[in-house]
Every structure is written in structure tokens, then in C-alpha cells.
Amino acid sequence: MEVTTEPPKTQIDEASSHRKLSFSTPIAGDPSSEKLPFFRHRSRQIKRDTWLVSVFVLLQIVAFAVTMGVNDCSRNSNDHCAARLLGRFSFQPLSENPMLGPSASTFEHMGGLYWNALVEKHEIWRVLTSPWLHSGLFHLLLNLGSLIFVGIFMEQRYGPLRIAVIYFLSGIVGSLFAVLFVRNIPSICSGAAFFGLIGAMLSALARNWNLYTSKVSALVIIITISTVNFVIGFLPYIDNFANIGGFISGFLLGLVLLFTPQLRQDPPPPHKGKLFEDDMRSSTRLKEMFDRPVLRIVCLVLFCGILAGVLIAACWGVNLNHYCNWCRYVDCVPTRKWSCSDMTTSCEAMVSDAQLTLTCMANGKFRIFPYTNISQARTQDLCTLVCT
């Protein structure tokens, strides 16, 4: 009786039978293509370092610390501060800044946007500094929490280079858009860059809508994060027009820069080596770059047009508040604590018995402060508070 046996498989044959190289970029709308959830589980995320988001977070924390150090409430406000135990880094009273932050004069000194500095002094460099300022500790924590959630997701999915381009360009365009509505109240634009990432995330979801599952849940998350950050923009010093400009810029740049994601990528067979793997990846990237060229070109032209338009308008000193009386309410909701009017405040100061009495020349209101040795800029801060 003759027995036939199969030759044993070598390790190379066994590895070849189980390992296949499969690069796939499914076509949107193909029901047979593989799908994945938009917000994947952490264990299924693409393993990439998120150093870029870490740098952004660190820079914003440092900028806020420097701002509070320059503010020096304990000295400039004669210890009339909130959280006085922090000493130099204590906050202005809540009646002046409800977000636990510095004074208006500090924002002006650190590069916040306001009309006189941009139009009369031509300090256009404020467009670059205002996106790094925060109105207070509450604003900083909310912004950083949102940035970490959105930024890490975007950097892991699309890499640091494209996210950096979207972040910086959205911040610049958002600040320029805010200039068109800026008043003599200092405003900061730290939300513009973050809203750029939100817009890019929304464009990635919309562009590849048929590739994802749980699309409605992802859309609800994006809308919730955007709404919370936009509502915070109604508080003093935070510029909602910068958020709007940053969101539009991020959405357009997302359609230009963010390619269709790869859904499946198995390792190459061992005998092919790294050269074959790199060649396949380059081919896949090339196909992605030329995906939907008309849409990319149109969005790029629109973005360049918006950038050129807001830049020219900002250089010419265009103030859209003159043509839109209700636009200021997009950026500010008036309350008993602060006003949205763009009035120029002036006060009569009287010093007696180590007390400073400021009387608003516009409405006759006055207030007594238990100190006298303060700077002119700080006196103007208090005058604005009294007139409001």
C-alpha cells in the first residue's frame, strides 16, 4: 500500500499564504466597499505620534502664563484681585473679567485686536498674536480640552504637516475676518485655529460620507463641540467672528488637503521587503492626490479669494459694523455686567484720602476705589467698567 504525504511547508511558504499586501482606497458610494466608524476605538487608531498637538497645547499654556505675569494684578490693581493667593498670577475681579483672566489693558499690551491699534497705528502684527491669547482660565481649559480631542484625532488620521497648515492658516484668516468687525474693545482670536480644525473634520466627514458608519453620532459630536465653543464667544473679549472665519477656512482647506483615508492595510510579504512597501504606498498616495481634482481646485480658489479679500479689506480699514448694526450681537450679548456698545469712555478722576473716585462723563455714574497709585492704562480699564 502506497502512502502519499505532502511536503512540509516552509516558514516562507506559510508566511506567504497568510500575509497579503492590500492597499485599498474604497470609492465613495460603493456599497460593497469596507466601512469604518468615523471615531474609531483608541486601540484601532492609526499609531502616530501626536507631537504637533502637544506643541500647540504647550505654547498656549506658556502664552497664558506670560499674559498673567504681565498683568500682575497684585501690583497693578493694589491686590484687588480674585485668587489673591496666586500673587503675581492672580486674576482680575469677576466683575471685570468673568473668565478669570487679565485686564483689557493687558490684552492690548499683549497683542489683542482693537480698532485704534489696527487703523491708526497700523499694528497689523496683532493678527498673528491674537490667536494665541485667551480671555481667562475657563476659556483656556475649554479651548485646550477641545483642541486635544479634535487635534489628536486629526493628527493621527492625516499627519502633522497638513494639520499644521490648516491650523495656522485658519488662525490667520479668522483674525483677518475679525478685523472687519473689530471695535475699540480688545478681542482675542484663539478660537479661530481650533474652529479651523473643526471645519476640516466636518469636511472630511462630508467628503467621505459613504465610507463611514455612525455618521450621525459623529456629526452630533462635531456640532456639540462647535456650539459650546461658539456660545462662550458671546462673553467679553472672545471674538466670534474669528471663529466663523476660521471655520470657513478649515472647511475649505479640509476639502483641499485631506485625502480619502485608507481602510485596510496589511503588512507586505517578507520576501518583498521595504522597497516594495514604499512603492505601493507612494502609488496609493498619488491616486489620493488626484482624487476629485475639480473639487480641490474650486475650494483652493475660494480659499485664496477669501484670504485676499479679507487681507485687502483689513489693510484699507474697512469696518463692516457701519453697514450692519446687528452684527455686534454675533460677538457679544449685552447684560447688566457689560455692554456691547462701542462707546469711547472718559472719566473725571478725583483723589482724596487714599481713594480714587471715577465719574463717567457719559452717564454720570461714579465709583470709589480704595487705591490711587495705578497706571493710566489701568485707570482707563476702571473707567470703562464704571461707564458700563
Side-chain angles (χ1 to χ4, degrees), residues 275-352:
L275 181 62
F276 179 77
E277 178 184 0
D278 292 340
D279 181 66
M280 291 298 296
R281 288 181 177 176
S282 300
S283 176
T284 304
R285 292 193 188 102
L286 188 63
K287 292 179 181 178
E288 290 176 343
M289 290 178 62
F290 288 99
D291 182 34
R292 303 179 187 177
V294 175
L295 177 63
R296 295 183 186 279
I297 294 173
V298 170
C299 293
L300 181 60
V301 171
L302 286 176
F303 173 79
C304 293
I306 292 175
L307 176 59
V310 294
L311 181 59
I312 293 173
C315 293
W316 284 354
V318 175
N319 188 351
L320 296 183
N321 290 312
H322 295 162
Y323 310 98
C324 180
N325 294 328
W326 58 267
C327 285
R328 61 186 179 185
Y329 299 113
V330 176
D331 186 43
C332 176
V333 174
T335 67
R336 297 177 61 183
K337 296 295 184 180
W338 62 81
S339 173
C340 296
S341 61
D342 194 20
M343 61 181 180
T344 301
T345 58
S346 61
C347 294
E348 180 183 4
M350 184 175 63
V351 178
S352 62

Side-chain angles (χ1 to χ4, degrees), residues 61-246:
I61 293 176
V62 170
F64 182 74
V66 172
T67 302
M68 295 307 303
V70 171
N71 183 69
D72 196 1
C73 181
S74 60
R75 180 175 66 88
N76 295 327
S77 298
N78 288 68
D79 211 28
H80 187 63
C81 312
R84 287 180 291 179
L85 294 176
L86 296 177
R88 184 184 184 94
F89 297 95
S90 56
F91 312 111
Q92 296 300 127
L94 294 179
S95 59
E96 185 177 350
N97 189 336
M99 301 296 288
L100 288 180
S103 62
S105 57
T106 300
F107 285 131
E108 295 179 7
H109 181 73
M110 294 298 295
L113 297 179
Y114 67 103
W115 179 256
N116 290 341
L118 293 169
V119 177
E120 298 179 1
K121 300 179 182 179
H122 304 289
E123 296 177 347
I124 196 65
W125 52 267
R126 293 177 178 271
V127 172
L128 302 177
T129 56
S130 60
W132 297 98
L133 301 178
H134 288 82
S135 64
L137 181 62
F138 291 152
H139 186 209
L140 176 70
L141 294 178
L142 176 64
N143 199 319
L144 291 186
S146 302
L147 175 61
I148 290 172
F149 176 79
V150 175
I152 288 180
F153 169 81
M154 297 295 286
E155 186 176 359
Q156 286 181 336
R157 184 68 64 89
Y158 298 104
L161 179 59
R162 285 176 282 182
I163 300 307
V165 171
I166 294 173
Y167 189 86
F168 284 112
L169 289 182
S170 298
I172 293 174
V173 175
S175 297
L176 289 172
F177 189 72
V179 170
L180 306 183
F181 298 91
V182 74
R183 297 166 289 145
N184 281 325
I185 302 173
S187 61
I188 56 179
C189 307
S190 55
F194 165 72
F195 267 86
L197 294 183
I198 285 287
M201 178 183 287
L202 182 61
S203 69
L205 176 63
R207 188 174 184 274
N208 305 294
W209 183 261
N210 292 325
L211 297 182
Y212 298 112
T213 61
S214 305
K215 298 181 284 287
V216 176
S217 300
L219 190 60
V220 169
I221 293 175
I222 294 174
I223 292 176
T224 301
I225 296 175
S226 304
T227 301
V228 171
N229 283 271
F230 191 82
V231 170
I232 294 296
F234 291 119
L235 295 175
Y237 307 121
I238 306 174
D239 201 306
N240 260 341
F241 290 107
N243 297 339
I244 296 173

Side-chain angles (χ1 to χ4, degrees), residues 346-348 359-365 387:
S346 61
C347 294
E348 180 183 4
T359 304
C360 181
M361 304 300 293
N363 53 27
K365 295 181 180 180
C387 292

